[in-house]
Amino acid sequence: AIFAWWRAERSNVSWPDRWSRARIERLTDFPGSEVDATISRDGRSVAFLADRDSVFDAFVGRVGSGQWMNLTNGRLPELFNEDVDNVGFTADAANVWLRVADIGSPATVALVAAKGGSIRPFLPTAVMAAWSPDGSRLAYHETTPGDPIYVPTAAGRTPQRIYLADPGLPTPPVRSPPARR
């Protein structure tokens, strides 16, 4: 029992210890702004929005490579919204999800392959999405009255509403817990 406790304590490194070993590195030298950066669950890829080419576009690349692929190429002029997350990875990092909106319609969540390709509709009424650590489920919320949160399958099917705010209360954040290493 003492060995098991000692082993567990050794593996539970405190956050100050982790922070002291962290390496902070500039990823791009783009002019303008980079926002909404997210790292894939496996820690190998990063996606972010940048207005390098005048409108915000979604970029993806391997951490440390210095090479970035523009996934949207100006096709989504209303890609950035400062009130929500606008970009993220699916649990397997094969796709990047994007909050897509334009002035005349509500936001939706679309997918684009992390290797590039066409932007595909995914969750027609969602604003943001977060996959469970095991990739089997996801959660998303809508901007309809009560800011409901839904949990469908990982493929976006059979959503079940799990939250509806009382009038005047804020929506809790839709976030997936970090992957354990």
Side-chain angles (χ1 to χ4, degrees), residues 51-142:
D51 63 354
R52 177 185 74 175
D53 302 323
S54 77
V55 299
F56 278 101
D57 279 310
F59 292 84
V60 68
R62 300 293 271 183
V63 172
S65 73
Q67 297 180 1
W68 307 106
M69 180 186 315
N70 186 334
L71 296 174
T72 53
N73 295 304
R75 293 177 285 175
L76 304 171
E78 298 293 324
L79 191 57
F80 177 62
N81 179 326
E82 66 186 29
D83 295 330
V84 297
D85 291 337
N86 298 281
V87 62
F89 285 97
T90 56
D92 62 3
N95 293 287
V96 173
W97 68 261
L98 304 168
R99 183 202 63 86
V100 177
D102 62 41
I103 292 173
S105 64
T108 65
V109 168
L111 295 177
V112 61
K115 295 177 181 177
S118 62
I119 298 168
R120 306 174 316 276
F122 180 58
L123 298 169
T125 59
V127 177
M128 296 186 325
W131 273 258
S132 63
D134 68 0
S136 66
R137 310 279 289 174
L138 69 96
Y140 68 87
H141 91 87
E142 297 179 347

Side-chain angles (χ1 to χ4, degrees), residues 146-171:
D147 287 329
I149 295 176
Y150 294 90
V151 177
T153 64
R157 294 184 180 87
T158 64
Q160 296 177 349
R161 188 178 74 201
I162 62 166
Y163 176 82
L164 185 64
D166 291 331
L169 293 179
T171 301

